[in-house]
Amino acid sequence: MNGNPTQWRKMKINKASEYQRDRLRILAIGPAGSGKTTQLRTLPGKKLLFCFEDNALNSLQGDSMIDYQLYLPDVVEIAPRSLSSKQNVRSTPPTGEKPQAFDAFVQDFNSFIKDEKTFNSYDVIAIDSLTSLSKAVMDSVLWLNNRMGQQPAMDDWAAQLNTIENTIRKVTSLPKMVYITAHDTLMQDDLTKKIVNELVLTGQLKTRIPMLFSDILKFQCVDEKFSMLTQPDRYNVKIRRSISGLKPEVDVTIKNFNDPQSSGLGSLLK
C-alpha cells in the first residue's frame, strides 16, 4: 500500500444481469451486389457515410436521411513493373503524385468528431467499404515508403495492417451506431483445407477486425431475393449477432423504397 494514495482506484463491480447494450457496431459482409450497402437505408435515424466506392451511391440515391463524403480511388501509376530482385532490372521512375483519398478521410473524420454540433446530428456512422479503404491506406503507405507503383514489401503490409486496425478501432469506439461494409470471398484454409468465406483483408486483419464489432452479418442475393445470415455455418464461421430473436436466415428485401425503414435490417432492430 506504499505510494501516492491517489494512484489507487476502487474497482466498481458490474452485474451481467444489469447489462444493457448501448449501441450496435455492425460489420456487413458479402460479395458485390448482395445488398449490404442498400441496407444502410433501412437503419433508423440520420446517417453519415464515408464512402470509398462511388458505385455505392447508386444504391443510396434519393435518400434524404443519408449524407456522405466521397473519396474516389487515387490515380495509380500505369507502368510496367518487374517483380525480379535482380540488380540490373530497370524500373520506371514514379510520377510523384501523392495519393489523397485516405489523407482526406482522416482530415474529414477528425474534423467531424471535433465538431460537437455536427457530430450530434447523426445517429449512424458508416463506411463503405472496408475493402476499398484498405486499398487507399496501402496507396498512402507506398507513397510514404517511396514505393508507389511497386510490389508492397513486408513493412508496407505491416504499416497498412496497423493503420487499418487503428482506424476501425477509433470508428467503433464512437458513441453511435456504426455500420461498415466489407467484401468476402471463398478461400481454402491453409491448415484445415476447409473452404470458407473470408474477408478480403490483409493477413491478421481477417481475425482482428471482426473482434471490434458486436454483430457480423452476412448478406446474399439469390433469385432477386435478399437475405441476411445471422448465425455461423460451415462456410461463414465469423458470423455472430447480439440482436436476440433472429432466425438463422432472414429476408431483408426492401419492400418499399419510399419507406425503407419498415423492412430489411432496420425493421428487425425495432
Side-chain angles (χ1 to χ4, degrees):
M1 299 295 292
N2 296 329
N4 189 342
T6 60
Q7 294 178 349
W8 292 91
R9 175 177 177 268
K10 184 178 180 180
M11 182 176 67
K12 179 183 177 182
I13 305 298
N14 300 291
K15 297 182 179 181
S17 60
E18 299 175 355
Y19 171 77
Q20 291 184 343
R21 183 185 63 239
D22 58 342
R23 58 196 167 87
L24 290 173
R25 302 177 304 282
I26 300 173
L27 180 61
I29 61 177
S34 59
K36 54 188 183 295
T37 301
T38 310
Q39 287 299 314
L40 181 61
R41 303 182 69 159
T42 73
L43 299 181
K46 188 78 171 177
K47 280 84 69 173
L48 177 62
L49 171 65
F50 294 98
C51 185
F52 288 82
E53 298 181 7
D54 53 351
N55 286 334
L57 299 179
N58 295 328
S59 303
L60 307 175
Q61 184 178 6
D63 196 312
S64 62
M65 297 299 290
I66 300 177
D67 296 335
Y68 70 91
Q69 288 292 97
L70 181 61
Y71 307 97
L72 292 174
D74 291 303
V75 177
V76 296
E77 295 178 22
I78 303 176
R81 298 283 180 175
S82 174
L83 300 183
S84 174
S85 59
K86 296 180 180 179
Q87 295 290 333
N88 61 348
V89 174
R90 295 179 180 177
S91 62
T92 306
T95 62
E97 296 181 8
K98 183 180 180 180
Q100 299 294 330
F102 185 68
D103 287 353
F105 163 73
V106 171
Q107 293 174 13
D108 288 346
F109 181 78
N110 287 332
S111 174
F112 167 66
I113 61 177
K114 291 178 181 178
D115 186 339
E116 185 175 354
K117 182 179 180 181
T118 303
F119 181 79
N120 290 334
S121 66
Y122 291 98
D123 304 291
V124 181
I125 308 302
I127 294 178
D128 190 288
S129 70
L130 180 55
T131 312
S132 295
L133 167 63
S134 301
K135 295 177 182 178
V137 170
M138 179 57 82
D139 287 342
S140 293
V141 168
L142 290 174
W143 162 263
L144 291 173
N145 292 339
N146 293 317
R147 281 195 281 266
M148 280 298 295
Q150 300 181 30
Q151 183 77 359
M154 186 66 70
D155 56 340
D156 298 323
W157 291 114
Q160 185 210 38
L161 187 152
N162 290 330
T163 302
I164 294 170
E165 183 176 19
N166 289 339
T167 299
I168 302 305
R169 284 179 62 188
K170 182 65 176 179
V171 175
T172 53
S173 70
L174 297 176
K176 304 278 186 180
M177 181 188 294
V178 173
Y179 185 85
I180 298 179
T181 69
H183 296 274
D184 67 353
T185 187
L186 281 173
M187 297 182 65
Q188 186 176 50
D189 186 274
D190 293 334
L191 182 62
T192 65
K193 303 304 179 183
K194 293 182 178 179
I195 297 177
V196 295
N197 272 311
E198 195 58 87
L199 294 173
V200 184
L201 292 173
T202 303
Q204 296 182 20
L205 286 176
K206 296 181 178 70
T207 300
R208 289 157 67 168
I209 289 297
M211 295 170 63
L212 301 174
F213 293 85
S214 63
D215 297 77
I216 303 174
L217 305 172
K218 163 76 174 181
F219 292 87
Q220 57 188 15
C221 178
V222 179
D223 297 330
E224 298 185 359
K225 178 183 178 182
F226 294 90
S227 62
M228 178 180 75
L229 304 182
T230 67
Q231 293 183 10
D233 57 28
R234 61 180 296 187
Y235 294 113
N236 302 281
V237 297
K238 288 186 168 64
I239 295 177
R240 67 167 174 268
R241 70 183 189 195
S242 66
I243 310 167
S244 60
L246 295 183
K247 297 178 180 179
E249 183 174 352
V250 184
D251 183 4
V252 291
T253 305
I254 299 177
K255 309 297 191 301
N256 180 7
F257 278 90
N258 292 322
D259 183 21
Q261 295 182 22
S262 64
S263 55
L265 177 59
S267 66
L268 300 174
L269 297 181
K270 294 179 181 179

